[in-house]
Amino acid sequence: MRFSASLALLLSLSALHAEVAMTTEAPASTVRCVYSGTDGHCVEPVLKSGRELVITVLGQGVAPSVTASPAQAYALAKRSAIADGYRQIAERVRGVQVEGQDSVKNMMLVQSSTRTSVEATVRGANILNTTFKEGLCEVEMEIALSYTQFSR
Amino acid sequence: MRSRNGNCPFVYAIFSLAAALSLLADDYLIGYRLTTRNAQIIDESLTVSKAMLPCPRDQKTPLLLRRENNETIERLLKREQTLFLEYASVQPIRLKSNETLNGTDIKSLQTLTLPTQCYAVEFNDRLVTITLLQHNNEK
């Protein structure tokens, strides 16, 4: 009796888990991934056939300390933020090349340096939203990747 | 008098006029480069040069800019740089980024480049029409 009850509980739990898994699976053909370089909470989605992957990034730029007008400060900070957004998109799509160098002297770490670089060509990125507050401009950008772009 | 095709002659006339004007436009090569260090712009350049050879007429949607006091294309683009960059950024953008972490010192250097492309520029009295003519990567 106790065995059959535990078996029924186990079966109901597995069925419930299966239902939750089915409901959490994205039914739409677009997979969204929010990534801001600082939160790092994005789970890496996989680009599948017939689906579109949308990557959203948040580029940040700072206005120069010396500008002719607040409008110029805004324009320059926005351009810098757009460049940062493009960098994040390139890092997400193309990947980052990382080089590390540690110098050890007499069994002690003397110097440690890390160098990251990315070089890419980006097309089709869109600016979704722009905010400017206290000299910091944030630009939300997105790029839609389709399976056919990479399967050519 | 209205033709049997309704307003079609007017449409043809407008299209033929636009085509003729686009053939009369001058071709310019325009490129853009932006360099930022630690999220601040340190260098920005917009280069404009008249094309020595006519460009292929593979036209995209034009950009209309207001012209003040017969200003040159260089002055106009400097004044309306943001609008032009938004228009030109439909083409592929090259990005090169380097970041160095040395102890607690972080340095970042980014270069964003809009490759030099050919644009048809047509001057009118108070309006300038700029049209992207070709995409190098699509050829």
Side-chain angles (χ1 to χ4, degrees), chain B residues 14-68:
Chain B
I14 289 170
F15 271 112
S16 59
L17 183 64
L21 287 174
S22 66
L23 287 173
L24 294 173
D26 291 329
D27 291 349
Y28 282 86
L29 297 167
I30 303 173
Y32 176 75
R33 179 177 293 219
L34 171 80
T35 307
T36 68
R37 180 184 289 154
N38 298 336
Q40 280 191 333
I41 291 182
I42 57 168
D43 185 45
E44 186 178 33
S45 64
L46 184 75
T47 51
V48 183
S49 169
K50 199 164 186 178
M52 297 177 77
L53 294 171
C55 300
R57 316 307 287 187
D58 180 15
Q59 297 197 351
K60 308 292 178 189
T61 314
L63 168 72
L64 299 174
L65 296 175
R66 191 169 43 84
R67 189 184 185 195
E68 291 177 355

Coordinates of all heavy atoms in Angstrom, one line a residue, chain B residues 14-68:
Chain B
I14 N 7.0 61.1 -62.9 CA 7.8 61.3 -61.7 C 9.0 60.3 -61.6 O 10.1 60.7 -61.3 CB 6.9 61.1 -60.5 CG1 5.9 62.3 -60.4 CG2 7.7 61.0 -59.2 CD1 4.8 62.1 -59.4
F15 N 8.7 59.1 -62.0 CA 9.8 58.1 -61.9 C 10.9 58.4 -62.9 O 12.1 58.3 -62.6 CB 9.3 56.7 -62.2 CG 8.8 56.0 -61.0 CD1 7.5 55.7 -60.7 CD2 9.7 55.6 -60.0 CE1 7.1 55.1 -59.6 CE2 9.3 55.0 -58.8 CZ 8.0 54.8 -58.6
S16 N 10.5 58.8 -64.1 CA 11.5 59.2 -65.2 C 12.3 60.4 -64.8 O 13.5 60.5 -65.0 CB 10.8 59.4 -66.5 OG 9.9 60.4 -66.4
L17 N 11.6 61.4 -64.1 CA 12.3 62.6 -63.6 C 13.3 62.2 -62.6 O 14.5 62.7 -62.6 CB 11.3 63.6 -63.1 CG 11.8 64.9 -62.6 CD1 12.4 65.7 -63.8 CD2 10.8 65.7 -61.9
A18 N 12.9 61.3 -61.6 CA 13.8 60.9 -60.6 C 15.0 60.2 -61.1 O 16.1 60.4 -60.7 CB 13.0 60.0 -59.6
A19 N 14.7 59.3 -62.1 CA 15.8 58.6 -62.8 C 16.8 59.5 -63.5 O 18.0 59.4 -63.4 CB 15.3 57.5 -63.7
A20 N 16.2 60.5 -64.2 CA 17.1 61.5 -64.9 C 17.9 62.3 -63.9 O 19.1 62.5 -64.1 CB 16.2 62.4 -65.7
L21 N 17.3 62.7 -62.8 CA 18.0 63.5 -61.8 C 19.1 62.7 -61.2 O 20.2 63.2 -60.9 CB 17.0 64.0 -60.8 CG 16.1 65.2 -61.2 CD1 15.1 65.5 -60.1 CD2 16.9 66.4 -61.6
S22 N 18.8 61.4 -60.9 CA 19.8 60.6 -60.3 C 21.0 60.3 -61.2 O 22.2 60.2 -60.8 CB 19.2 59.2 -59.9 OG 18.9 58.5 -61.0
L23 N 20.7 60.3 -62.5 CA 21.9 60.2 -63.5 C 22.7 61.5 -63.5 O 23.9 61.5 -63.9 CB 21.3 59.9 -64.9 CG 20.8 58.4 -65.0 CD1 20.1 58.3 -66.4 CD2 21.9 57.4 -64.9
L24 N 22.0 62.6 -63.2 CA 22.7 63.9 -63.3 C 23.5 64.2 -62.0 O 24.3 65.1 -61.9 CB 21.7 65.0 -63.5 CG 21.0 65.0 -64.9 CD1 20.0 66.1 -65.0 CD2 22.1 65.2 -66.0
A25 N 23.2 63.4 -60.9 CA 23.9 63.6 -59.6 C 25.3 63.3 -59.7 O 25.8 62.5 -60.5 CB 23.2 62.8 -58.6
D26 N 26.1 64.0 -58.8 CA 27.5 63.7 -58.7 C 27.8 62.6 -57.8 O 27.0 62.3 -56.8 CB 28.2 65.0 -58.2 CG 28.2 66.1 -59.2 OD1 28.2 65.8 -60.4 OD2 28.2 67.3 -58.7
D27 N 28.8 61.8 -58.0 CA 29.2 60.7 -57.2 C 30.3 61.1 -56.2 O 31.3 61.7 -56.6 CB 29.7 59.5 -58.0 CG 28.6 58.9 -58.8 OD1 27.4 59.3 -58.6 OD2 28.8 58.1 -59.7
Y28 N 30.0 60.8 -54.9 CA 31.0 61.1 -53.9 C 31.4 59.8 -53.1 O 30.5 58.9 -52.9 CB 30.4 62.1 -52.9 CG 30.5 63.5 -53.4 CD1 29.4 64.0 -54.2 CD2 31.5 64.4 -53.1 CE1 29.4 65.3 -54.6 CE2 31.5 65.7 -53.6 CZ 30.5 66.1 -54.3 OH 30.5 67.4 -54.8
L29 N 32.6 59.7 -52.7 CA 33.0 58.6 -51.8 C 33.1 59.1 -50.4 O 33.8 60.1 -50.1 CB 34.4 58.1 -52.3 CG 34.5 57.5 -53.7 CD1 35.9 57.3 -54.1 CD2 33.7 56.2 -53.7
I30 N 32.4 58.5 -49.5 CA 32.3 59.0 -48.2 C 32.6 57.8 -47.2 O 32.1 56.7 -47.4 CB 30.9 59.5 -47.8 CG1 30.5 60.6 -48.8 CG2 30.8 60.1 -46.4 CD1 29.1 61.2 -48.7
G31 N 33.5 58.1 -46.3 CA 33.9 57.1 -45.3 C 33.8 57.7 -43.9 O 33.9 58.9 -43.7
Y32 N 33.8 56.8 -42.9 CA 33.7 57.3 -41.5 C 34.4 56.4 -40.6 O 34.4 55.2 -40.7 CB 32.2 57.4 -41.1 CG 31.9 57.8 -39.7 CD1 32.1 59.1 -39.2 CD2 31.6 56.8 -38.7 CE1 31.8 59.4 -37.9 CE2 31.4 57.2 -37.4 CZ 31.5 58.5 -37.0 OH 31.3 58.8 -35.7
R33 N 35.1 57.0 -39.6 CA 35.9 56.2 -38.6 C 35.7 56.9 -37.2 O 35.8 58.1 -37.1 CB 37.3 56.2 -39.0 CG 38.2 55.4 -38.0 CD 39.6 55.3 -38.4 NE 39.6 54.4 -39.6 CZ 40.6 53.6 -39.9 NH1 41.5 53.4 -39.0 NH2 40.6 52.9 -41.0
L34 N 35.5 56.1 -36.2 CA 35.3 56.5 -34.9 C 36.2 55.7 -34.0 O 36.2 54.5 -34.0 CB 33.8 56.4 -34.5 CG 33.5 56.6 -33.0 CD1 33.4 58.1 -32.8 CD2 32.1 56.0 -32.7
T35 N 37.0 56.4 -33.1 CA 37.8 55.7 -32.2 C 37.5 56.1 -30.8 O 37.4 57.3 -30.5 CB 39.3 56.0 -32.5 OG1 39.6 55.7 -33.9 CG2 40.2 55.1 -31.6
T36 N 37.2 55.2 -29.9 CA 36.9 55.5 -28.5 C 38.0 54.8 -27.6 O 38.4 53.7 -27.9 CB 35.5 55.0 -28.1 OG1 35.5 53.6 -28.1 CG2 34.5 55.5 -29.0
R37 N 38.3 55.5 -26.5 CA 39.2 54.9 -25.5 C 38.5 55.1 -24.2 O 38.1 56.2 -23.8 CB 40.5 55.7 -25.5 CG 41.5 55.1 -24.5 CD 42.8 55.9 -24.4 NE 43.6 55.7 -25.6 CZ 44.5 56.5 -26.0 NH1 44.7 57.7 -25.4 NH2 45.2 56.3 -27.1
N38 N 38.4 54.0 -23.5 CA 37.7 53.9 -22.2 C 36.3 54.6 -22.3 O 36.0 55.5 -21.4 CB 38.6 54.6 -21.1 CG 39.9 53.9 -20.9 OD1 40.0 52.7 -21.2 ND2 40.9 54.6 -20.4
A39 N 35.6 54.2 -23.3 CA 34.2 54.7 -23.5 C 34.1 56.2 -23.8 O 33.0 56.7 -23.7 CB 33.3 54.3 -22.3
Q40 N 35.2 56.8 -24.2 CA 35.1 58.2 -24.6 C 35.7 58.4 -26.0 O 36.7 57.7 -26.3 CB 35.9 59.1 -23.6 CG 35.2 59.4 -22.4 CD 35.9 60.5 -21.6 OE1 37.1 60.7 -21.7 NE2 35.1 61.3 -20.8
I41 N 35.1 59.2 -26.8 CA 35.6 59.4 -28.1 C 36.9 60.1 -28.1 O 37.0 61.2 -27.4 CB 34.5 60.2 -29.0 CG1 33.3 59.4 -29.2 CG2 35.1 60.7 -30.3 CD1 32.3 60.0 -30.1
I42 N 37.9 59.6 -28.8 CA 39.1 60.3 -28.9 C 39.4 60.8 -30.3 O 40.2 61.6 -30.6 CB 40.3 59.5 -28.4 CG1 40.4 58.1 -29.1 CG2 40.2 59.2 -26.9 CD1 41.7 57.4 -28.9
D43 N 38.8 60.2 -31.3 CA 39.0 60.6 -32.7 C 37.8 60.2 -33.5 O 37.1 59.2 -33.3 CB 40.2 59.9 -33.2 CG 40.5 60.4 -34.6 OD1 40.5 61.6 -34.8 OD2 40.8 59.5 -35.5
E44 N 37.4 61.1 -34.4 CA 36.3 60.9 -35.3 C 36.6 61.6 -36.6 O 37.0 62.7 -36.6 CB 35.0 61.5 -34.7 CG 33.8 61.2 -35.4 CD 32.5 61.8 -34.7 OE1 32.6 62.8 -34.1 OE2 31.4 61.2 -34.8
S45 N 36.4 60.9 -37.7 CA 36.7 61.5 -39.0 C 35.7 61.0 -40.0 O 35.3 59.9 -40.1 CB 38.1 61.1 -39.4 OG 38.2 59.7 -39.7
L46 N 35.2 62.0 -40.8 CA 34.3 61.8 -41.9 C 35.0 62.3 -43.1 O 35.3 63.5 -43.3 CB 33.0 62.5 -41.7 CG 31.9 62.3 -42.7 CD1 31.3 60.9 -42.5 CD2 30.9 63.4 -42.6
T47 N 35.4 61.4 -44.0 CA 36.1 61.7 -45.2 C 35.2 61.8 -46.4 O 34.4 60.8 -46.7 CB 37.3 60.8 -45.5 OG1 36.8 59.4 -45.4 CG2 38.4 60.9 -44.4
V48 N 35.3 62.8 -47.2 CA 34.5 63.0 -48.4 C 35.4 63.3 -49.6 O 36.3 64.2 -49.5 CB 33.5 64.2 -48.2 CG1 32.6 64.4 -49.4 CG2 32.7 64.0 -46.9
S49 N 35.1 62.6 -50.6 CA 35.9 62.9 -51.9 C 35.1 62.6 -53.1 O 34.3 61.7 -53.1 CB 37.1 61.9 -51.9 OG 37.8 61.9 -53.1
K50 N 35.3 63.5 -54.1 CA 34.5 63.3 -55.3 C 35.1 62.1 -56.1 O 36.3 62.0 -56.2 CB 34.6 64.5 -56.1 CG 33.5 64.6 -57.2 CD 33.3 66.0 -57.7 CE 32.1 66.1 -58.6 NZ 31.9 67.4 -59.1
A51 N 34.2 61.2 -56.5 CA 34.6 60.0 -57.2 C 35.2 60.4 -58.6 O 34.7 61.2 -59.3 CB 33.5 59.1 -57.4
M52 N 36.4 59.7 -58.9 CA 37.0 60.0 -60.2 C 36.4 59.2 -61.3 O 36.4 59.6 -62.5 CB 38.5 59.7 -60.1 CG 39.2 60.6 -59.1 SD 40.9 60.1 -58.9 CE 41.6 60.8 -60.4
L53 N 35.7 58.1 -60.9 CA 35.0 57.3 -61.9 C 33.5 57.2 -61.5 O 33.3 57.2 -60.3 CB 35.6 55.9 -62.0 CG 37.0 55.8 -62.6 CD1 37.6 54.4 -62.4 CD2 37.1 56.2 -64.0
P54 N 32.6 57.1 -62.4 CA 31.2 57.0 -62.1 C 31.0 55.6 -61.4 O 31.6 54.6 -61.8 CB 30.5 57.1 -63.4 CG 31.5 56.8 -64.4 CD 32.8 57.3 -63.9
C55 N 30.1 55.6 -60.4 CA 29.8 54.4 -59.7 C 28.7 53.6 -60.3 O 27.9 54.2 -61.0 CB 29.5 54.7 -58.2 SG 30.8 55.6 -57.4
P56 N 28.6 52.3 -60.1 CA 27.4 51.6 -60.6 C 26.2 52.1 -60.0 O 26.1 52.5 -58.8 CB 27.7 50.1 -60.1 CG 29.2 50.1 -59.8 CD 29.6 51.5 -59.4
R57 N 25.1 52.2 -60.8 CA 23.8 52.8 -60.4 C 22.9 51.8 -59.7 O 21.8 51.5 -60.1 CB 23.1 53.5 -61.5 CG 23.9 54.3 -62.4 CD 24.8 55.3 -61.7 NE 24.1 56.4 -61.2 CZ 24.7 57.5 -60.7 NH1 26.0 57.5 -60.6 NH2 24.0 58.5 -60.3
D58 N 23.4 51.2 -58.6 CA 22.6 50.3 -57.8 C 22.1 51.1 -56.6 O 22.8 51.1 -55.6 CB 23.4 49.0 -57.4 CG 22.5 48.1 -56.6 OD1 21.3 48.2 -56.6 OD2 23.1 47.2 -56.0
Q59 N 20.9 51.7 -56.8 CA 20.5 52.7 -55.8 C 19.7 52.1 -54.6 O 19.0 51.1 -54.8 CB 19.7 53.8 -56.5 CG 20.5 54.5 -57.5 CD 19.8 55.8 -57.9 OE1 18.7 56.0 -57.5 NE2 20.5 56.6 -58.7
K60 N 19.9 52.7 -53.5 CA 19.1 52.4 -52.3 C 18.2 53.6 -52.0 O 18.1 54.6 -52.8 CB 20.1 52.2 -51.1 CG 21.1 51.2 -51.4 CD 20.6 49.8 -51.5 CE 21.7 48.8 -51.9 NZ 21.2 47.5 -52.2
T61 N 17.5 53.5 -50.9 CA 16.5 54.6 -50.6 C 17.3 55.9 -50.3 O 18.3 55.8 -49.6 CB 15.8 54.2 -49.3 OG1 15.3 52.9 -49.5 CG2 14.6 55.1 -49.1
P62 N 16.9 57.0 -50.8 CA 17.7 58.3 -50.7 C 17.5 58.9 -49.3 O 16.5 58.6 -48.6 CB 17.1 59.2 -51.8 CG 15.8 58.7 -52.0 CD 15.7 57.2 -51.7
L63 N 18.4 59.8 -49.0 CA 18.3 60.6 -47.7 C 18.2 62.0 -48.2 O 19.0 62.5 -48.9 CB 19.6 60.4 -46.9 CG 19.8 61.3 -45.7 CD1 18.8 61.0 -44.6 CD2 21.2 61.2 -45.2
L64 N 17.2 62.7 -47.7 CA 17.0 64.1 -48.0 C 17.5 65.0 -46.9 O 17.0 64.8 -45.7 CB 15.5 64.4 -48.3 CG 14.9 63.6 -49.5 CD1 13.4 63.9 -49.6 CD2 15.6 64.0 -50.8
L65 N 18.4 66.0 -47.2 CA 18.9 66.9 -46.2 C 18.6 68.3 -46.6 O 18.7 68.6 -47.8 CB 20.4 66.7 -45.9 CG 20.8 65.3 -45.4 CD1 22.3 65.2 -45.3 CD2 20.2 65.1 -44.0
R66 N 18.3 69.2 -45.6 CA 18.1 70.6 -45.9 C 19.4 71.3 -46.1 O 20.4 71.1 -45.4 CB 17.3 71.2 -44.8 CG 16.8 72.6 -45.0 CD 15.9 73.0 -43.9 NE 16.4 72.6 -42.6 CZ 17.3 73.4 -41.9 NH1 17.7 74.5 -42.4 NH2 17.7 73.0 -40.7
R67 N 19.5 72.1 -47.2 CA 20.7 72.8 -47.5 C 20.6 74.3 -47.1 O 19.6 74.9 -47.4 CB 21.0 72.7 -49.0 CG 22.4 73.2 -49.4 CD 22.5 73.0 -50.9 NE 23.8 73.4 -51.4 CZ 24.1 73.6 -52.6 NH1 23.2 73.6 -53.5 NH2 25.4 74.0 -52.9
E68 N 21.6 74.9 -46.5 CA 21.6 76.3 -46.1 C 22.7 77.0 -46.8 O 23.8 76.7 -46.8 CB 21.8 76.4 -44.6 CG 20.6 75.8 -43.8 CD 20.9 75.9 -42.3 OE1 22.0 76.2 -41.9 OE2 20.0 75.5 -41.5

